[in-house]
Amino acid sequence: MDVSERLSFFPSLYRVVDHPEIGMWMLYLTILFLSILVYKLGFAKKLPILKSAVIYIFLALGCTVLTFLGIFLPVAEGLVVAALILIIYKIRLHQSKKQEAEDVR
């Protein structure tokens, strides 16, 4: 059985089997970027800089574990779906607030 057949989309896109070092770094950066995006869109609050730095450090450490899981499991793909849902939610929330502001006038 070939290992490359069991890879999820992003690891096979980055050719983790052929170029393990570069592919894993690209997968890590993709998961980190998507995790930061999902955090900012769905969960971030206004925090002092030091507290935000601590959160991002732990987010980066957690993404290392997610990167190893993301080789065979659809971690990055799930983050893409979560980001799309949160983007749609934010757009609709902005539109409804804009509509309410126009209705009040």
Side-chain angles (χ1 to χ4, degrees), residues 47-68:
L47 293 174
I49 292 176
L50 188 59
K51 288 183 182 179
S52 292
V54 169
I55 287 175
Y56 286 115
I57 287 170
F58 280 111
L59 188 65
L61 290 174
C63 286
T64 58
V65 175
L66 289 177
T67 301
F68 290 113

Side-chain angles (χ1 to χ4, degrees), residues 2-3 12-13 39 43 51 59 75 92 102-104:
D2 191 18
V3 173
S12 63
L13 178 69
Y39 170 72
F43 307 104
K51 288 183 182 179
L59 188 65
V75 173
R92 300 218 32 200
E102 290 177 1
D103 290 344
V104 172

Side-chain angles (χ1 to χ4, degrees), residues 83-101:
L84 289 174
I85 290 171
L86 288 170
I87 288 170
I88 291 169
Y89 170 74
K90 290 289 185 174
I91 290 171
R92 300 218 32 200
L93 182 67
H94 178 70
Q95 287 176 347
S96 70
K97 284 185 180 182
K98 185 178 175 183
Q99 184 66 30
E100 286 178 9

Side-chain angles (χ1 to χ4, degrees), residues 68-86:
F68 290 113
L69 293 174
I71 296 171
F72 296 111
L73 298 174
V75 173
E77 292 84 351
L79 288 169
V80 168
V81 170
L84 289 174
I85 290 171
L86 288 170

Side-chain angles (χ1 to χ4, degrees), residues 22-65:
I22 294 173
M24 287 299 284
W25 275 110
M26 290 175 63
L27 182 62
Y28 173 74
L29 292 175
T30 302
I31 289 175
L32 181 64
F33 171 74
L34 290 170
S35 296
I36 290 172
L37 182 66
V38 168
Y39 170 72
K40 292 290 268 181
L41 287 173
F43 307 104
K45 294 184 179 184
K46 200 71 164 171
L47 293 174
I49 292 176
L50 188 59
K51 288 183 182 179
S52 292
V54 169
I55 287 175
Y56 286 115
I57 287 170
F58 280 111
L59 188 65
L61 290 174
C63 286
T64 58
V65 175

